[in-house]
């Protein structure tokens, strides 16, 4: 069946893309020595300052509107609305915000978040994702989903969920590739979990949807994709996706955008890095003088790690939302059946200091002009595994394996050979380039074009992990 699927679909047109609380448990963990309420010692890094004592009460900030009173000044301000909003939060709270809160505001603020009102993908955007590189990526993910569906016993109704679908390219290629397998496509109800209205519209176009009347609670939009005659619904959160059906979840380059908390080790122990405003009204890093609520997640992460793994690090990133999301996925899969596929760049271990900002395919300072660049961090796959295993005894976790291994085992080599038999020279060049970017390691050896456009392989930098219901056995290709 795999071979039949790989050779079935004709190539589509190609486009060349450039490469460009209080904490009562703290005393119980002997691993940690925490910052006292007195002024901590200044660390070696001169880019971070320590804070004097700050109030420990937390304040819930309503960020639904960008409303913060302006500074009393007769001089015009050049700050963007998002910058004013961030400074307003810090000023109103009387202290700094966490890196995670900064990251969440920058990316998903309802009015000025990076992802909310623009198309940030592709050669003309700020970064390129695997589905934008080649149709083969979405097709291979479709092969994986179909194989899992068969292991599930070919249920008549299945929820197919994609988290953060971007332009909808992956799902569109998946449906095109699987369109001849009617038993599979007719079982699907697609659920796109997307908070950006602008991207929802792009996804609607990519899936060639026709709208239909729908008044279901929690569903923003329901349509029918003409690519495979499949119903499609949009939701702002995963919790809005209906329960009670076997569910296949795809999370491609989704975890890396979840907000991370950063901790730095000093002579007094681990302190959380925070973001404050200097006297000249610019953003800078400071260290919390005492434990923060996120320290509980740091404790949990270090509990899962080998002691030597933590001892050698001076900085650690933890992603509470990734842990909580994984727990939610695992519980749903454990009860309803199905599985989740997570593909992202990251490490199979504790992540140190990986947060980065990308604007127009170039790295920039993460505090520079917030809202104008994408923020992302390495995914801690070991943390995902432990989170899933703790959440449900009814799921099993497989991987991570490299993206190259994942795609290769699913038959991408056969697929590229089939596509090369029926394409123009220009399409063949795009196919070879796309193939290398998906499975290669480093610079492509065959490249003869401009040096600044040499394809860089993502085959070993990206990894794949699966969480599935134990009743279904080991999923392909993790055997």
């Amino acid at each position: 069946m795999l071979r039949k699927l790989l050779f079935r679909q004709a190539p589509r047109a190609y486009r060349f893309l450039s490469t460009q609380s209080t904490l009562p448990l703290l005393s119980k963990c002997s691993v940690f020595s925490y910052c006292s309420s007195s002024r901590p010692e200044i660390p070696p890094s001169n880019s971070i300052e320590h804070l004097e004592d700050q109030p420990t009460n937390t304040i819930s900030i309503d960020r639904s509107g960008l409303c913060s009173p302006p500074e009393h000044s007769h001089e015009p301000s050049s700050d963007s609305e998002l910058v004013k909003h961030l400074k307003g939060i810090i000023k109103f709270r009387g202290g700094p915000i966490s890196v995670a809160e900064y990251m969440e505001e920058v990316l998903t603020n309802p009015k000025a978040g990076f992802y909310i009102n623009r198309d940030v993908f592709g050669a003309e955007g700020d970064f390129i994702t695997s589905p934008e590189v080649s149709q083969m990526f979405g097709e291979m993910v479709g092969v994986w989903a179909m194989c899992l569906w068969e292991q599930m016993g070919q249920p008549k109704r299945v929820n197919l969920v994609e988290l953060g679908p971007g332009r909808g390219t992956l799902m569109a290629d998946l449906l095109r590739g699987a369109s001849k397998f009617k038993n599979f496509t007719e079982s699907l109800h697609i659920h796109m979990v997307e908070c950006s209205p602008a991207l929802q519209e792009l996804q609607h176009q990519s899936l060639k949807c026709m709208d239909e009347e729908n008044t279901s609670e929690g569903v923003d939009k329901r349509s029918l994709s003409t690519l495979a005659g499949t119903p499609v619904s949009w939701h702002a959160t995963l919790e809005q996706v209906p329960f009670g059906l076997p569910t296949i979840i795809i999370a491609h380059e989704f975890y890396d955008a979840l907000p991370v908390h950063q901790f730095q080790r000093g002579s007094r122990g681990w302190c959380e890095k925070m973001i404050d405003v200097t006297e000249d009204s610019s953003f800078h890093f400071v260290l919390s003088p005492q434990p923060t609520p996120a320290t509980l997640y740091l404790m949990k992460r270090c509990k899962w790690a080998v002691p030597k793994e933590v001892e050698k690090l001076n900085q650690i990133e933890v992603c509470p939302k990734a842990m909580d999301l994984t727990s939610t996925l695992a519980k749903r899969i454990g009860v309803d059946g199905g599985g989740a596929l997570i593909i992202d760049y990251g490490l199979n271990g504790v992540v140190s200091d990986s947060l980065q900002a990308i604007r127009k395919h170039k790295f920039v300072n993460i505090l520079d002009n917030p809202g104008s660049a994408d923020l992302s961090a390495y995914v801690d796959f070991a943390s995902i595994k432990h989170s899933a295993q703790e959440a449900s005894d009814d799921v099993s976790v497989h991987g991570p394996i490299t993206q190259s291994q994942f795609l290769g085992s699913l038959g991408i080599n056969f697929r590229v050979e089939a596509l090369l038999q029926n394409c123009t020279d220009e399409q063949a060049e795009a196919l070879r380039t796309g193939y290398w970017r998906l499975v290669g390691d480093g610079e492509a050896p065959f490249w003869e074009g401009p040096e600044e456009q040499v394809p860089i392989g993502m085959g070993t930098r990206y990894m794949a992990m699966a969480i599935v219901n134990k009743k279904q056995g080991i999923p392909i290709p993790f055997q």
Side-chain angles (χ1 to χ4, degrees):
M1 174 182 165
L2 285 180
R3 194 173 185 91
K4 179 181 178 184
L5 174 62
L6 295 171
F7 283 89
R8 172 78 66 173
Q9 193 71 11
R12 60 171 168 82
Y14 287 89
R15 176 168 58 86
F16 183 80
L17 301 177
S18 67
T19 45
Q20 312 214 310
S21 67
T22 58
L23 303 175
L25 299 177
L26 295 183
S27 60
K28 298 182 181 180
C29 184
S30 60
V31 175
F32 297 91
S33 172
Y34 292 95
C35 300
S36 67
S37 59
S38 60
R39 183 180 179 88
E41 178 180 309
I42 297 177
S45 172
N46 57 15
S47 64
I48 299 175
E49 298 178 10
H50 285 265
L51 298 170
E52 300 294 347
D53 291 355
Q54 299 288 345
T56 58
N57 293 336
T58 59
I59 300 174
S60 178
I61 304 297
D62 179 5
R63 62 189 185 93
S64 62
L66 294 173
C67 180
S68 56
E71 297 283 349
H72 180 70
S73 173
H74 297 291
E75 297 295 327
S77 173
S78 60
D79 286 347
S80 68
E81 289 301 307
L82 181 59
V83 170
K84 291 177 183 177
H85 178 59
L86 289 166
K87 291 180 178 179
I89 294 175
I90 294 170
K91 181 179 180 180
F92 179 60
R93 186 172 296 175
I97 60 176
S98 68
V99 172
E101 187 172 0
Y102 174 85
M103 187 174 177
E104 188 168 17
E105 289 285 350
V106 166
L107 295 180
T108 61
N109 184 279
K111 290 190 177 180
F114 179 75
Y115 290 132
I116 300 302
N117 298 313
R118 73 186 95 183
D119 177 11
V120 300
F121 301 93
E124 302 304 320
D126 294 273
F127 54 90
I128 296 173
T129 61
S130 295
E132 303 295 335
V133 169
S134 172
Q135 71 180 66
M136 293 183 291
F137 185 84
E139 290 172 347
M140 294 302 104
V141 173
V143 171
W144 181 85
M146 194 181 307
C147 290
L148 182 63
W149 173 74
E150 289 189 336
Q151 287 182 284
M152 293 159 61
Q154 301 186 10
K156 298 298 183 182
R157 296 176 63 201
V158 177
N159 286 329
L160 177 58
V161 182
E162 185 174 3
L163 306 180
R167 287 176 168 171
T169 307
L170 186 155
M171 188 61 71
D173 290 337
L174 185 158
L175 291 177
R176 286 192 188 96
S179 61
K180 301 298 183 182
F181 299 87
K182 297 298 184 182
N183 289 343
F184 174 63
T185 58
E186 289 176 358
S187 72
L188 300 178
H189 186 145
I190 295 171
H191 298 271
M192 308 288 266
V193 178
E194 177 60 67
C195 63
S196 166
L199 290 177
Q200 285 186 10
E201 288 303 315
L202 285 173
Q203 294 154 17
H204 188 275
Q205 295 170 20
S206 295
L207 297 179
K208 300 189 182 304
C209 287
M210 296 177 60
D211 291 334
E212 59 183 39
E213 293 294 331
N214 185 70
T215 58
S216 298
E217 184 178 353
V219 178
D220 297 326
K221 183 188 299 180
R222 177 186 168 103
S223 304
L224 190 72
S225 171
T226 59
L227 295 176
T230 308
V232 185
S233 298
W234 277 263
H235 312 269
T237 66
L238 175 62
E239 287 73 20
Q240 293 176 357
V241 177
F243 289 82
L245 289 178
T247 302
I248 300 173
I249 301 171
I250 299 167
H252 172 255
E253 288 201 49
F254 180 79
Y255 272 77
D256 68 278
L258 297 177
V260 296
H261 291 261
Q262 293 188 318
F263 291 84
Q264 181 167 312
R265 191 201 297 270
S267 60
R268 297 177 184 269
W270 291 103
C271 303
E272 184 168 3
K273 288 174 66 175
M274 314 287 281
I275 294 172
D276 207 348
V277 179
T278 64
E279 292 183 359
D280 65 357
S281 198
S282 61
F283 293 112
H284 71 147
F285 290 107
V286 295
L287 292 180
S288 171
Q290 51 196 339
T292 61
T295 308
L296 290 172
Y297 286 90
L298 176 65
M299 291 174 60
K300 177 183 287 190
R301 183 62 190 90
C302 291
K303 178 191 71 175
W304 292 334
V306 177
K308 290 183 179 180
E309 189 178 9
V310 176
E311 290 170 3
K312 65 182 181 181
L313 298 176
N314 290 320
Q315 297 191 69
I316 290 179
E317 286 177 354
V318 294
C319 187
K321 288 208 169 183
M323 296 180 188
D324 294 343
L325 171 63
T326 302
S327 178
T328 299
L329 295 180
K331 290 175 182 177
R332 181 185 286 247
I333 292 167
V335 173
D336 289 343
L341 175 65
I342 301 164
I343 303 179
D344 225 311
Y345 62 92
L347 301 172
N348 190 23
V350 178
V351 177
S352 179
D353 182 17
S354 72
L355 183 61
Q356 59 191 20
I358 300 176
R359 184 189 300 127
K360 299 298 180 182
H361 306 275
K362 295 181 180 180
F363 293 106
V364 296
N365 189 304
I366 69 170
L367 300 181
D368 176 33
N369 194 13
S372 67
D374 178 47
L375 300 181
S376 64
Y378 279 14
V379 174
D380 180 349
F381 281 94
S383 177
I384 292 176
K385 180 176 182 178
H386 287 290
S387 297
Q389 291 173 334
E390 283 195 358
S392 175
D393 293 330
D394 297 315
V395 302
S396 57
V397 184
H398 307 274
I401 59 177
T402 67
Q403 178 169 291
S404 180
Q405 292 173 311
F406 177 79
L407 296 176
S409 297
L410 289 171
I412 193 171
N413 296 339
F414 298 119
R415 183 58 176 153
V416 71
E417 289 175 5
L419 292 173
L420 286 170
Q421 293 175 7
N422 184 30
C423 63
T424 66
D425 290 343
E426 183 180 357
Q427 288 175 333
E429 183 68 18
L431 271 172
R432 285 189 288 266
T433 299
Y435 173 79
W436 180 264
R437 286 180 177 162
L438 292 178
V439 304
D441 183 14
E443 296 185 355
F446 58 82
W447 185 250
E448 297 179 355
E451 186 175 347
E452 67 272 12
Q453 294 181 357
V454 59
I456 307 297
M458 300 183 288
T460 57
R461 291 189 294 121
Y462 282 68
M463 294 191 286
M465 174 177 278
I467 304 170
V468 300
N469 190 291
K470 286 182 176 179
K471 295 179 181 178
Q472 296 153 196
I474 302 174
I476 292 173
F478 297 90
Q479 291 90 340

